[in-house]
Amino acid sequence: MNIKKRLLSILLASVLCLTCVSCSTDTPNESENESLKDSADPVETPDNTDLETPEETEPEPIDPSTLSDEEYFSDYFTPILRFVVASDVHIDDEGSKLEEQRLGQLFDDSYAYSDAHAKYNDLDGVFFVGDIVSRGTITSMNKFFSIVDAHKREGTVIRAVLGNHEYYDDPSKAESNLMEAGGYDSPDVHLTIDGYHFILISPNMGGEGFDETKQNWLAAELKIAAEDDPTGTRPIFVFNHQHVSDTVYGSQNWGVKHLRSIFNEYPQVVDFSGHSHYPINDPRSVWQGEFTALGTGSLSYYEMGMVGKASTGIYPGEDKTYWWGESEKDAAQFYIVEVDENNAIKVQGYDLFTSSFIMEPLTFRSVGDPSTFKYTDARKDTADKPVFADDAEIVIDELTAKTVTITFPQAICDDTVQNYRIVAYKDGKLSSRVYRLSCSFYFPTPETLSYTFKNLKPSTEYILEIIATSPWGVESDPFTISFTTPENPEG
């Protein structure tokens, strides 16, 4: 029995020893096990049909008809066609260095703008609507096209039409000079770019209009263009020098009636015209009625009218009084036009002095449907009223016995201010009235304006009223100041 007990004790000790070996500190801990798992070959796990990974779904396509104009042109609009329109460059045989520089810069800035667009960076065309030169000589014509050739790129269509100035040297050679210098077969042309029709027509009649032959040609070409698009939704772009009368700003003074009845048949016409030199950032430079029309400004000098005053031929003068007088050559405006796959159009006004866009883009969703036209004469009925800021004040810069110089801030108006009427009253009666352009065609537009009244009476009380007028003739409330002139020191 003692031997048996002894053997049993040895057996139990052996079992305990084996148990201790299995609990050795050499066994990997939990973190080490994780490390081993990471370094081990991946182990396939059986499919689990109860755990399905959700599939990625394509976003719902945007229906452009549900977008507002603002949403459409800011978020959806992508160009498939881009071209530039300019007018009244006025290159001369000599003495047109400013215009020559601007012509070259027009190409440089337009290409820079196009290059910056990743989705569409082509500049498909550059079109000039007349008065590309000042006197029509072959020398100035060759100079114009040599500048163009030095700046254009392959793939950009360049075309110009005649204006009235091309007839100044020798009217009989105006068309031949254009064709020789430009390499054209005709002064008129109908071409297509990416399926869009471009019709360019030069005036005859000594450069002053379009005779019956010209009108018949235009009508025939428009018919061809319209038949190419039975839906009537695709714009037809037309280029001519003179405005169509009673359409855009300047057409009342510088327009012709010859083309109106032809355009009226085609609401999808978008007509670009020049001649007047009127600023393109004035809201009246775009018009929609039976068709769409845009005035194209100038690369040379401004001319304009004065709202509220029966006057023409107003120029910003060299002394910066912005009154009648010899003009500075201070205009450099043109359009960059873009079209998308839905035939929507964006037109941006550009200023070469500041290399910047100068107005809210003009946007057209459907030029073939007059019911959608928004740039109509009816804009006048809801035009914004100019107002002066609450903290605005008129400052008297200098006051003598016979003169007063005042400075006043620009009024605020969504449609810009076209001019100011400044009226002086003496003893409650009208003493004098003057008009002052707002300079809204300069960029940046000056924040304040000044004027000097002369021939005042010494020791006299005056009241001045300043009335801001919008392009639509809507007037602000009078902004007033009173003062008394000192005694005349000369007795």
Side-chain angles (χ1 to χ4, degrees):
M1 291 294 294
N2 289 335
I3 294 174
K4 289 180 178 181
K5 288 181 179 180
R6 223 173 142 185
L7 290 172
L8 182 60
S9 297
I10 293 171
L11 181 61
L12 288 173
S14 298
V15 172
L16 289 173
C17 183
L18 289 171
T19 302
C20 288
V21 169
S22 67
C23 296
S24 169
T25 56
D26 292 336
T27 302
N29 59 27
E30 184 176 349
S31 62
E32 290 173 326
N33 278 325
E34 289 299 320
S35 177
L36 289 171
K37 288 179 183 177
D38 291 341
S39 62
D41 291 334
V43 178
E44 292 187 5
T45 56
D47 292 337
N48 189 337
T49 56
D50 294 331
L51 299 175
E52 295 184 358
T53 303
E55 295 182 2
E56 293 185 5
T57 58
E58 293 290 332
E60 288 291 329
I62 296 175
D63 179 0
S65 65
T66 65
L67 302 177
S68 67
D69 279 5
E70 182 179 358
E71 292 170 330
Y72 184 93
F73 285 98
S74 64
D75 302 330
Y76 187 85
F77 182 89
T78 300
I80 62 169
L81 175 72
R82 178 181 294 117
F83 61 93
V84 161
V85 190
S87 182
D88 295 84
V89 185
H90 288 284
I91 300 297
D92 214 335
D93 293 2
E94 298 178 356
S96 58
K97 295 299 183 185
L98 289 174
E99 287 85 354
E100 294 168 32
Q101 181 270 327
R102 292 169 192 167
L103 177 58
Q105 187 185 344
L106 175 145
F107 281 89
D108 295 344
D109 284 17
S110 298
Y111 281 123
Y113 170 80
S114 301
D115 290 343
H117 286 71
K119 291 185 177 179
Y120 189 79
N121 57 18
D122 289 346
L123 180 59
D124 300 290
V126 178
F127 302 99
F128 298 92
V129 289
D131 283 5
I132 59 175
V133 300
S134 285
R135 294 188 294 115
T137 66
I138 190 63
T139 299
S140 55
M141 285 276 198
N142 285 332
K143 183 187 289 188
F144 174 87
F145 283 104
S146 68
I147 296 170
V148 169
D149 289 341
H151 288 83
K152 73 177 183 180
R153 296 181 188 173
E154 185 177 355
T156 302
V157 176
I158 312 294
R159 191 77 194 203
V161 298
L162 297 168
N164 58 302
H165 275 257
E166 281 79 17
Y167 284 83
Y168 281 8
D169 181 56
D170 184 345
S172 68
K173 294 183 177 179
E175 292 189 348
S176 61
N177 283 348
L178 175 67
M179 291 187 287
E180 178 184 339
Y184 301 159
D185 295 328
S186 168
D188 310 318
V189 68
H190 179 176
L191 51 90
T192 58
I193 302 175
D194 294 336
Y196 289 91
H197 289 263
F198 292 74
I199 301 174
L200 295 95
I201 182 169
S202 293
N204 52 7
M205 301 173 64
E208 298 301 327
F210 307 86
D211 67 9
E212 186 175 352
T213 300
K214 288 278 187 175
Q215 294 175 47
N216 290 340
W217 179 86
L218 176 62
E221 299 307 315
L222 281 172
K223 185 174 185 293
I224 293 170
E227 289 175 347
D228 190 38
D229 174 34
T231 67
T233 60
R234 189 183 303 159
I236 302 171
F237 300 108
V238 184
F239 306 82
N240 44 275
H241 183 58
Q242 284 89 352
H243 304 309
V244 174
S245 294
D246 300 319
T247 57
V248 298
Y249 182 36
S251 64
Q252 291 75 19
N253 300 320
W254 296 106
V256 295
K257 300 182 182 297
H258 304 147
L259 309 181
R260 182 65 179 261
S261 62
I262 302 171
F263 288 155
N264 285 351
E265 298 295 319
Y266 301 97
Q268 67 268 47
V269 161
V270 180
D271 180 52
F272 294 93
S273 57
H275 193 41
S276 68
H277 293 233
Y278 282 31
I280 65 174
N281 60 303
D282 187 295
R284 296 167 293 169
S285 287
V286 57
W287 172 92
Q288 291 183 299
E290 295 84 2
F291 57 97
T292 299
L294 296 101
T296 54
S298 173
L299 294 188
S300 183
Y301 61 91
Y302 287 117
E303 183 176 343
M304 61 202 73
M306 185 78 77
V307 176
K309 184 176 178 61
S311 56
T312 60
I314 294 176
Y315 306 90
E318 292 180 355
D319 59 357
K320 296 297 182 184
T321 59
Y322 310 101
W323 198 235
W324 286 279
E326 288 300 317
S327 152
E328 271 193 306
K329 299 203 169 183
D330 51 7
Q333 297 181 340
F334 66 93
Y335 289 127
I336 296 178
V337 184
E338 296 172 316
V339 186
D340 77 354
E341 63 181 1
N342 295 317
N343 300 319
I345 305 170
K346 179 191 287 187
V347 180
Q348 299 183 85
Y350 192 86
D351 174 66
L352 283 172
F353 287 118
T354 56
S355 293
S356 64
F357 293 108
I358 55 177
M359 55 198 242
E360 288 296 317
L362 305 172
T363 56
F364 310 86
R365 292 282 287 273
S366 179
V367 292
D369 181 3
S371 69
T372 67
F373 288 179
K374 58 186 177 181
Y375 300 107
T376 67
D377 291 335
R379 288 174 291 170
K380 182 176 181 179
D381 299 332
T382 57
D384 193 42
K385 179 180 180 178
V387 296
F388 289 94
D390 292 340
D391 60 351
E393 61 178 347
I394 303 170
V395 176
I396 295 178
D397 298 314
E398 184 179 9
L399 179 62
T400 71
K402 295 184 179 181
T403 66
V404 63
T405 299
I406 61 168
T407 295
F408 58 95
Q410 297 266 21
I412 303 166
C413 184
D414 286 345
D415 288 321
T416 74
V417 175
Q418 205 273 340
N419 70 72
Y420 295 89
R421 184 171 73 253
I422 311 172
V423 184
Y425 294 93
K426 179 183 70 174
D427 299 328
K429 297 180 180 180
L430 177 66
S431 173
S432 60
R433 180 191 293 116
V434 296
Y435 292 80
R436 180 80 159 76
L437 294 172
S438 70
C439 319
S440 60
F441 39 83
Y442 286 115
F443 305 95
T445 300
E447 296 180 354
T448 61
L449 299 173
S450 298
Y451 192 79
T452 299
F453 279 93
K454 300 178 181 179
N455 301 317
L456 302 181
K457 298 293 183 182
S459 303
T460 302
E461 183 179 6
Y462 287 88
I463 297 176
L464 294 184
E465 285 187 350
I466 302 175
I467 297 94
T469 305
S470 82
W472 305 106
V474 181
E475 297 185 349
S476 71
D477 294 330
F479 190 24
T480 64
I481 188 174
S482 61
F483 60 88
T484 300
T485 54
E487 294 181 1
N488 191 341
E490 299 176 359

